[in-house]
Amino acid sequence: MAPMGIRLSPLGVVVFCLLGLGVIYHLYAGVISNRIAAFKQGKTVDLRELLALSVEAAVQGGREVKRIREDNTLEEKSKGKTKEGASEKLTLGDLYSHRKMFHLIKNTFPHLQVNSEEHDNAGDQETSVWNRVIPSNIRKEVTTSREVPAESVTVWIDPLDATQEYTENLRQYVTTMVCVAVNGEPVIGVIHMPFTGYTAWAMVGAGGNVRARDSYNEKSPQVIVSRSHAGKVKEFVGTALGNDTVVIPAGGAGYKVLALLDPSDEKYDKADIYIHITFIKKWDICAGNAILKALGGHMTTLKGEEIDYRGSPANNDGLLASINMDHKTLVEKLPSPDKEKGR
């Protein structure tokens, strides 16, 4: 008589599997939970190191901007129209600078969120990784360091600010810029002038290499604005600050912020206030915002609201920038931006 086999009921199979899963969970629960916690915690970034990297990225991008302009190989194209109706230019200077800056930062800190005005990420994949040696000038002036979670950091890069002026060979307005925001607040700003080699940088709470001017004219301020809509801004500020208010048209948001300061490179207009009354992208303004904030200045929307450098690149509510002036009073003097939008 053949021996009888052991048969398990379906219910027994289920119970056996559940017991097996329980044993596995018990053995590996600690490992799994630790890995999940590590993933949630994320990596940290040393802001002093990121400042040095930002300066190097702006300089490397600036070399490409200068090389393309001097070789006269711009290959100019149009990306469409700005909200003021001007043609939005794209050149090889924009693209090559973007590739240098974007890949340098991403190759060094691949876990960081990096937003650039340009989106062509091809080429220059072999850009050397930052060697993590902080240059002596930055080490000397920034003696303190600060670690922040990588997930809280957003990097904004503008590979070529003032592209329209770049195509017109108005080199004084052209900059490359890098900004680091932590939880939406700008903390590191770098503005590099490719054609003079001057670089302004600052980190909130840690200093910088640029300073405010000794005095500003609050009673009859000179206002620097975009060349593309200088007439509109003159009308906008005339009723608030007086019809005799001097309006200085200039290209590039980076240049306009430097015009409020006292950079060592003296080839700048001197303005007391910077106003932009229409839509503007965050990569245009973040670096200047960080530098002003580090020096005790302000950059807000025309309504006086702080600009959040997370999420969408669009800043729809214009901007007002000042330093060593009563910023709140300036906001109150300006016409309502909502009324201006309806014109």
Side-chain angles (χ1 to χ4, degrees):
M1 183 175 179
M4 295 181 63
I6 298 174
R7 295 183 179 179
L8 292 175
S9 68
L11 178 60
V13 172
V14 172
V15 171
F16 180 79
C17 290
L18 289 175
L19 287 172
L21 289 172
V23 171
I24 293 172
Y25 176 80
H26 179 74
L27 292 173
Y28 292 99
V31 175
I32 293 170
S33 63
N34 286 340
R35 288 187 177 181
I36 291 173
F39 176 77
K40 288 182 177 179
Q41 182 180 9
K43 300 185 178 184
T44 61
V45 179
D46 183 328
L47 288 182
R48 186 170 65 159
E49 185 176 296
L50 194 48
L51 165 62
L53 177 65
S54 298
V55 171
E56 180 64 17
V59 170
Q60 284 197 20
R63 290 194 191 112
E64 294 300 298
V65 168
K66 184 179 181 182
R67 178 179 66 83
I68 294 295
R69 177 67 266 183
E70 292 183 344
D71 290 348
N72 199 27
T73 55
L74 275 64
E75 294 191 17
E76 178 184 334
K77 299 178 182 178
S78 175
K79 296 191 289 186
K81 297 284 187 180
T82 67
K83 296 217 170 182
E84 290 81 36
S87 177
E88 192 170 7
K89 304 292 185 182
L90 175 67
T91 70
L92 285 183
D94 296 86
L95 292 179
Y96 286 9
S97 175
H98 159 78
R99 291 170 186 173
K100 283 289 185 184
M101 296 172 71
F102 182 87
H103 289 300
L104 177 59
I105 296 171
K106 286 297 286 185
N107 286 352
T108 309
F109 293 109
H111 45 286
L112 291 185
Q113 173 68 41
V114 181
N115 298 329
S116 173
E117 180 174 11
E118 308 308 333
H119 306 287
D120 175 7
N121 297 333
D124 276 346
Q125 298 291 343
E126 300 304 318
T127 300
S128 60
V129 176
W130 176 246
N131 61 14
R132 304 198 178 214
V133 176
I134 298 173
S136 59
N137 63 320
I138 293 179
R139 183 181 295 277
K140 181 179 178 181
E141 297 188 50
V142 181
T143 57
T144 59
S145 188
R146 177 183 164 199
E147 295 271 345
V148 297
E151 63 185 12
S152 70
V153 174
T154 306
V155 180
W156 296 89
I157 62 176
D158 193 340
L160 200 171
D161 188 37
T163 300
Q164 176 64 45
E165 288 72 21
Y166 182 65
T167 64
E168 297 173 18
N169 211 15
L170 298 173
R171 303 182 181 195
Q172 71 271 26
Y173 297 127
V174 176
T175 65
T176 58
M177 296 189 287
V178 181
C179 178
V180 176
V182 178
N183 294 320
E185 296 184 12
V187 297
I188 291 173
V190 178
I191 302 175
H192 175 66
M193 310 291 288
F195 297 102
T196 67
Y198 174 71
T199 306
W201 57 264
M203 185 165 83
V204 174
N209 72 338
V210 65
R211 63 186 182 89
R213 297 203 306 272
D214 292 333
S215 63
Y216 295 85
N217 191 336
E218 291 198 55
K219 293 184 178 179
S220 301
Q222 296 195 79
V223 182
I224 194 163
V225 304
S226 293
R227 293 170 70 226
S228 59
H229 60 288
K232 260 190 171 182
V233 179
K234 187 171 179 63
E235 182 182 352
F236 179 78
V237 301
T239 54
L241 305 175
N243 291 327
D244 294 330
T245 300
V246 175
V247 172
I248 304 169
Y255 176 91
K256 296 184 191 76
V257 168
L258 291 179
L260 302 182
L261 304 175
D262 189 21
S264 59
D265 185 336
E266 297 179 356
K267 298 177 182 178
Y268 295 90
D269 290 299
K270 300 296 183 185
D272 302 298
I273 302 171
Y274 167 25
I275 291 179
H276 190 91
I277 65 171
T278 60
F279 171 93
I280 192 168
K281 295 290 184 67
K282 291 176 183 176
W283 43 65
D284 290 315
I285 60 177
C286 186
N289 196 340
I291 290 174
L292 286 173
K293 187 174 181 180
L295 299 177
H298 301 275
M299 181 184 287
T300 66
T301 67
L302 294 175
K303 299 176 182 178
E305 299 167 345
E306 297 295 330
I307 300 167
D308 189 334
Y309 291 94
R310 290 175 290 195
S312 167
N315 174 52
N316 295 300
D317 297 316
L319 69 86
L320 171 66
S322 70
I323 185 167
N324 291 348
M325 298 180 74
D326 189 336
H327 193 83
K328 184 177 179 181
T329 297
L330 288 174
V331 171
E332 292 170 351
K333 285 182 177 180
L334 293 177
S336 167
D338 294 328
K339 290 180 181 178
E340 293 298 315
K341 287 180 182 178
R343 286 189 175 188

